[in-house]
Amino acid sequence: MQNTDNLNKQFSIPGHIDFAEGPGGLTIARINNGLATAEIALQGAHLYSWQPRGAAPVIWLSQDARFDAGKAIRGGVPVCWPWFGFHEEDLKKPAHGFVRTIAWAVTATEALDDGRTSIRFTLTSNDHTLAIWPHAFRLNYTVTIGQKLDLQLITENTGSTPFKISEAFHTYFTIGDIDGIEIHGLAGYTYADKADDMTLKMEPGPILIRNEVDHIYLDTDGTCRIEDRVQQRHINISTQGSHTTVVWNPWVEKSIKMGDMGENGYRTMVCVESANALNNKVTVEPGRHHELMARYEVA
Ligand code: BG6
């Protein structure tokens, strides 16, 4: 486990990034450059805020989010890997995989010429991960913070047999109000409706959210847009290496059951997740790698 003193000695860059003890005693990276601010917990390599200069916060964090060792943070960008949702054979295994709740190592930081800051997190298979998922891997996750936010997750198969993964950047976006948004870019795609027994349906037009929505859109090109009338802005999402897009809002009842969504939290968030899941799972051959990338931009 890296401590903040060592992290600061090795990886802090004045005017860009330093490390501190954050909420709940978790170690966090704080990025503060000329273009934006952001905070990322080393546990889960979990970014939980990003605010470009001159713009309102883009990433939603529940007012009741728990920052506890080994617990998933409600909001931000949970990294779901090597499975998305429930484990298909063993419901006792953690939902959305195991990397969002374990500590990643910081392995590089960089101040880019254009003023952005990047930080790379690495997670390598070990006895703990092998007991949950029996494959050797290395993950390199690079987050680049500027007026745009860039996420790049590289999955490397360091073992001797192929493995299959599903994955997601499970991003919670801040919106003015759930009644005031439309999500564009997914019309015409087929989705599995998780709130309706995984029934396959076709999306007829822009998405309006008026009840629980848990849609897994298949074979997408990963480009979409949240249009927010209240905040008078768009959030543009583009991806590479992602063929599934998930749109999720738990609405009232599920939020109450979840217990950490905050009062009326569901009204100011929507998850638009850049993923590979269901029939878009990815096989990674030994010695090969796979990249999942997403870019967010406010317009
Ligand atoms: C979404 C799923 O991606 O994540 C939902 O489609 C799920 O079904 C949601 O409820 C939140 O998951 P968790 O494990 O963070 O509570």
Side-chain angles (χ1 to χ4, degrees), residues 187-226:
Y189 284 104
T190 298
Y191 64 92
D193 190 343
K194 235 175 145 177
D196 185 15
D197 214 14
M198 298 299 266
T199 308
L200 290 178
K201 302 178 182 173
M202 205 267 282
E203 188 59 68
I207 304 164
L208 308 178
I209 300 181
R210 299 289 180 267
N211 45 28
E212 181 189 353
V213 167
D214 197 349
H215 294 177
I216 304 178
Y217 295 86
L218 302 169
D219 304 317
T220 59
D221 67 4
T223 305
C224 57
R225 184 171 79 248
I226 303 168

Side-chain angles (χ1 to χ4, degrees), residues 74 84 95-96 100 170 172 194 214 246 248 254 258 273:
R74 181 65 61 200
F84 172 81
H96 290 320
R100 64 173 171 164
H170 190 309
Y172 290 72
K194 235 175 145 177
D214 197 349
V246 181
W248 179 64
K254 192 160 181 192
M258 287 161 61
E273 309 169 34

Side-chain angles (χ1 to χ4, degrees), residues 23-44:
L26 298 184
T27 305
I28 61 165
R30 299 186 295 201
I31 295 91
N32 188 345
N33 61 33
L35 303 169
T37 58
E39 291 188 358
I40 310 173
L42 270 60
Q43 173 172 295

Side-chain angles (χ1 to χ4, degrees), residues 149-295:
L149 180 69
D150 285 282
L151 311 175
Q152 179 201 45
L153 179 68
I154 301 181
T155 299
E156 233 180 296
N157 182 343
T158 54
S160 52
T161 51
F163 60 61
K164 210 175 209 184
I165 57 163
S166 53
E167 57 182 347
F169 297 134
H170 190 309
T171 306
Y172 290 72
F173 291 100
T174 292
I175 53 172
D177 185 78
I178 196 70
D179 284 344
I181 64 154
E182 287 183 4
I183 300 169
H184 289 256
L186 293 162
Y189 284 104
T190 298
Y191 64 92
D193 190 343
K194 235 175 145 177
D196 185 15
D197 214 14
M198 298 299 266
T199 308
L200 290 178
K201 302 178 182 173
M202 205 267 282
E203 188 59 68
I207 304 164
L208 308 178
I209 300 181
R210 299 289 180 267
N211 45 28
E212 181 189 353
V213 167
D214 197 349
H215 294 177
I216 304 178
Y217 295 86
L218 302 169
D219 304 317
T220 59
D221 67 4
T223 305
C224 57
R225 184 171 79 248
I226 303 168
E227 294 191 2
D228 185 335
R229 278 198 305 280
V230 178
Q231 301 215 81
Q232 299 195 323
R233 70 178 185 185
H234 295 176
I235 298 172
N236 294 322
I237 299 166
S238 54
T239 63
Q240 285 176 45
S242 163
H243 300 291
T244 308
T245 304
V246 181
V247 175
W248 179 64
N249 181 293
W251 213 250
V252 182
E253 272 173 41
K254 192 160 181 192
S255 292
I256 293 169
K257 280 191 204 136
M258 287 161 61
D260 60 356
M261 280 295 295
E263 203 185 343
N264 289 327
Y266 76 97
R267 297 206 67 88
T268 55
M269 58 69 69
V270 66
C271 284
V272 179
E273 309 169 34
S274 303
N276 288 300
L278 300 181
N279 60 342
N280 298 130
K281 285 195 193 96
V282 177
T283 300
V284 188
E285 299 292 335
R288 307 303 290 263
H289 70 270
H290 152 73
E291 285 184 34
L292 171 67
M293 289 192 260
R295 165 172 284 184

